[in-house]
Amino acid sequence: MALSRGLRCCQRAFAWVPVLIIALVVLWSYYAYVCELCLMTLSNPAEKVAYLIIFHILFVLFVWTYWKSIFTLPVQPGKKYHMSYADKERYENEERPEVQRQILAEIARKLPVYTRTGSGGIRFCDRCQLIKPDRCHHCSVCAMCVLKMDHHCPWVNNCIGFSNYKFFLLFLAYSLLYCLYIAATVFKYFIKYWTGELTNGRSKFHILFLLFLAVMFFVSLMFLFGYHCWLVSRNRSTLEAFSTPVFQNGPDKNGFNLGFVKNLQQVFGEEKKLWLLPIASSQGDGHFFPMRALCEAQNPLLSNEEQWEDDGIDEEPHDSGEAASLAIERET
């Protein structure tokens, strides 16, 4: 038991190593740009002030969004999705799978859950003992179910989901701008050091290495940010891009696609003045998401690829005949 706790503590401590690496690189980049470039290398006062002002604006936005991505805790499903003590006892004491399926079906009738497992069953997490809301997944690293889980990111040591996906996107965007600005402003002095026009040895090392890191991070972040922009435009998470969500009528990769503008509003909210600020403005509470299809049988599940859902969908009970055939999803 003590060994197991010790291993878990070591694992948690080791998980902060990537965050520490990023923090050290950012702090060094601040020193190299402000001290070695602006204070030691630049001679024009106006140019020096302009460089410093723009740099500090980008630096604050970058650090702010990174902080929010790290320390905004992922949101777990509400209490109504957890099995009650009576239901848990009845479920665990029942050995017949078909009766267990029926118990889950009875619980799911009261909840607005419309996605299914690959076999058409109710999405149930036997670790957290809850019916999983749409787009919710269990994170093995965080050991809990996360609303609208996108992925677990080691560089922020946190689950990226409903609560912090906007902050993560802004972090990627401002990281790109930060790297691009550094590379663009440092390049001229990189050439001067390279050709021997400037000879300060210590500053030369910092500026050369600063340009190299800025270009390297810019290229890698450009692909990652572009991929997430594509996901947002389709209203998909990373998990949904690799595993198509399944509705009662089958899988549909565009099941939550409401159109480009509404997809943006799902993540950034309706107030455009808040889009570029790391302030929570995403629509909804993470438990229910509008779907693009209207239901023909008073059940808000995907039924017609040509119809679009605009204002949310009313909750309706599932047919008991269909519920009896539902399977249980086990988290592994």
Side-chain angles (χ1 to χ4, degrees), residues 291-312:
M291 289 165 282
R292 74 186 186 96
L294 295 173
C295 185
E296 297 176 348
Q298 296 184 336
N299 189 338
L301 292 168
L302 186 64
S303 60
N304 188 335
E305 292 190 354
E306 301 302 322
Q307 295 175 321
W308 291 78
E309 181 64 28
D310 292 330
D311 302 317

Side-chain angles (χ1 to χ4, degrees), residues 108-111 297-300 315-320:
R109 277 199 206 106
K110 307 170 187 176
L111 302 172
Q298 296 184 336
N299 189 338
E315 301 174 16
E316 290 294 336
H318 300 285
D319 186 271
S320 60

Side-chain angles (χ1 to χ4, degrees), residues 131-148:
I131 305 293
K132 291 194 285 188
D134 295 341
R135 315 185 83 175
C136 173
H137 298 274
H138 186 90
C139 176
S140 58
V141 179
C142 298
M144 65 179 182
C145 285
V146 178
L147 292 179
K148 197 189 177 185

Side-chain angles (χ1 to χ4, degrees), residues 77-229:
K79 290 184 178 180
K80 68 178 182 177
Y81 290 88
H82 289 76
M83 297 179 75
S84 66
Y85 179 78
D87 288 334
K88 189 183 298 185
E89 281 226 327
R90 190 158 61 103
Y91 176 79
E92 291 177 350
N93 293 333
E94 182 56 58
E95 297 180 356
R96 293 169 294 178
E98 64 275 6
V99 180
Q100 288 183 326
R101 290 195 294 267
Q102 185 62 38
I103 293 171
L104 290 179
E106 292 172 3
I107 300 172
R109 277 199 206 106
K110 307 170 187 176
L111 302 172
V113 289
Y114 308 116
T115 52
R116 298 291 182 262
T117 65
S119 60
I122 288 178
R123 301 173 65 243
F124 174 72
C125 179
D126 59 354
R127 294 183 182 181
C128 300
Q129 293 291 292
L130 57 80
I131 305 293
K132 291 194 285 188
D134 295 341
R135 315 185 83 175
C136 173
H137 298 274
H138 186 90
C139 176
S140 58
V141 179
C142 298
M144 65 179 182
C145 285
V146 178
L147 292 179
K148 197 189 177 185
M149 179 178 172
D150 187 87
H151 68 288
H152 186 92
C153 180
W155 297 107
V156 300
N157 191 28
N158 200 4
C159 247
I160 306 302
F162 174 78
S163 62
N164 59 356
Y165 187 58
K166 175 190 174 182
F167 306 146
F168 179 73
L169 287 174
L170 291 178
F171 161 61
L172 294 180
Y174 290 129
S175 298
L176 269 176
L177 290 177
Y178 183 74
C179 293
L180 179 62
Y181 179 76
I182 289 177
T185 53
V186 165
F187 184 74
K188 177 172 70 174
Y189 298 95
F190 166 80
I191 296 298
K192 289 183 177 181
Y193 276 117
W194 189 266
T195 57
E197 187 175 340
L198 294 175
T199 58
N200 189 326
R202 191 182 68 175
S203 295
K204 177 179 181 180
F205 165 77
H206 285 287
I207 289 176
L208 295 183
F209 198 54
L210 186 62
L211 179 63
F212 171 75
L213 283 183
V215 172
M216 181 183 69
F217 278 107
F218 175 80
V219 172
S220 58
L221 286 168
M222 180 176 61
F223 288 105
L224 182 60
F225 180 65
Y227 176 68
H228 278 280
C229 287

Side-chain angles (χ1 to χ4, degrees), residues 247-265:
F247 299 84
Q248 190 178 29
N249 288 359
D252 188 340
K253 62 183 179 181
N254 293 315
F256 295 104
N257 192 343
L258 306 176
F260 181 74
V261 175
K262 290 188 176 181
N263 291 343
L264 286 179
Q265 291 174 348

